[in-house]
Amino acid sequence: MALFKKKEINLPPPQHIAIIMDGNGRWAKKRGLPRTAGHGAGAEAFRRTANYCRTLGVKYLTVYAFSTENWKRSEEEVSGIMKLLGKYLEEALADMEKNHVRFRFFGDLSRLSPELQTLCQNAQERSSEYDEVQVNFCLNYGGRDEIVKAAKSFAREVAEGKRKPEELTEQLFDNYLYSAGVPDPELIIRPSGEMRTSNFLLWQSAYSEYVFMDVLWPDFSPKDLDAAIAEYHRRNRRFGGV
Ligand code: IPE
Ligand code: IPE
Ligand code: MG
């Protein structure tokens, strides 16, 4: 048993881990704090987890920060989240150069404030040459929205005579997604106890291993990531074979 455990620890981590950063509101409620306090603690958990992924040698980390459905929340909560994102991104821009982290944003950024859009663009452009770790930040992201946008882009190219409908394959379709060029995540972690995708990476998760955990996102620690990776290594991935 001890030997088995040792072997688990030595196994390389997946090259792409995706996380649905859920449970901030419940974390705050448990402490009698406003929901925005939970989002602040969630931002810290993200920083901690991204650093740990870098230490482990994870190449891609994709995080779900705000969904196309999250606009349904109160104006107060949404503006609190946007403010935090602005603050976080400004700090991330400063850190990025030091840590050689590449940032990409998946989602429809046009609905964000002009200031936030500029921060996202700056982060994306200024880090585009880094290739050690890549963080894909899903902001105003929806898996269905992503697929519809990809279909529209392809249809537009067909209408312009640049493509033929018969040319479309699963591989080519990948190029029209926000995640173009990024391999599919091997592991998707959802903390907070909820067991659903909530519109996250619908196309890319076809063969991802899901690990659902009871911990609330602001409490998520390197130990939890280790546990999720160990669980991933215990899975038997068959991809439809035997
Ligand atoms: C995730 O935490 C953050 C966002 C969706 C923006 P929640 O705010 O959904 O936290 P719970 O699920 O209400 O606890
Ligand atoms: C998913 O969490 C979105 C993010 C974590 C950004 P939600 O809290 O919005 O999902 P539901 O409402 O529980 O499905
Ligand atoms: Mg939630």
Side-chain angles (χ1 to χ4, degrees):
M1 192 61 198
L3 261 179
F4 178 63
K5 275 207 166 133
K6 191 155 185 278
K7 187 165 163 251
E8 269 181 355
I9 289 163
N10 288 336
L11 289 168
Q15 76 161 337
H16 184 175
I17 296 179
I19 305 180
I20 300 174
M21 304 190 291
D22 194 22
N24 297 350
R26 277 163 283 175
W27 182 93
K29 192 169 179 211
K30 256 172 65 182
R31 287 162 177 76
L33 297 168
R35 293 181 60 88
T36 31
H39 297 310
E44 282 310 312
F46 166 67
R47 210 190 303 266
R48 202 161 59 228
T49 307
N51 279 332
Y52 188 53
C53 281
R54 205 158 45 84
T55 317
L56 290 180
V58 173
K59 179 88 174 69
Y60 300 93
L61 173 66
T62 301
V63 290
Y64 204 6
F66 195 87
S67 76
T68 46
E69 286 76 34
N70 287 147
W71 298 103
K72 287 180 195 157
R73 298 184 180 198
S74 73
E75 148 71 31
E76 189 194 354
E77 180 170 354
V78 170
S79 66
I81 293 172
M82 294 301 157
K83 225 157 101 209
L84 265 168
L85 281 168
K87 183 172 157 277
Y88 173 78
L89 285 174
E90 268 171 14
E91 290 164 8
L93 272 172
D95 276 1
M96 216 168 53
E97 263 124 41
K98 194 173 85 212
N99 297 330
H100 284 202
V101 177
R102 178 173 182 191
F103 266 89
R104 262 176 72 176
F105 293 86
F106 294 176
D108 181 359
L109 302 185
S110 69
R111 200 170 162 186
L112 307 179
S113 72
E115 295 77 24
L116 210 46
Q117 287 184 47
T118 307
L119 276 172
C120 294
Q121 270 153 17
N122 285 349
Q124 202 153 267
E125 279 162 22
R126 280 167 50 186
S127 68
S128 64
E129 300 297 314
Y130 298 140
D131 62 359
E132 277 172 43
V133 197
Q134 180 170 319
V135 170
N136 305 308
F137 213 85
C138 300
L139 253 187
N140 192 22
Y141 173 89
R144 288 183 171 179
D145 180 59
E146 179 181 35
I147 292 168
V148 167
K149 280 206 168 61
K152 276 188 188 156
S153 305
F154 181 76
R156 208 172 295 121
E157 292 185 5
V158 170
E160 289 165 358
K162 292 184 189 151
R163 293 267 184 205
K164 292 201 168 62
E166 312 74 69
E167 270 180 78
L168 190 59
T169 59
E170 292 180 10
Q171 283 71 26
L172 183 63
F173 195 69
D174 261 338
N175 297 339
Y176 294 87
L177 298 168
Y178 293 126
S179 60
V182 176
D184 292 340
E186 294 99 321
L187 168 63
I188 301 183
I189 303 169
R190 181 162 192 164
S192 93
E194 308 299 349
M195 292 190 250
R196 53 177 168 265
T197 71
S198 300
N199 206 7
F200 189 45
L201 303 180
L202 298 184
W203 174 274
Q204 300 85 341
S205 65
Y207 272 100
S208 302
E209 295 299 328
Y210 256 98
V211 173
F212 297 105
M213 305 177 89
D214 283 331
V215 59
L216 299 172
W217 174 247
D219 290 328
F220 195 87
S221 68
K223 209 165 59 37
D224 295 307
L225 191 69
D226 285 341
I229 293 174
E231 169 61 22
Y232 163 79
H233 283 302
R234 284 192 287 270
R235 303 277 174 91
N236 181 2
R237 307 187 77 202
R238 286 185 292 277
F239 302 98
V242 285

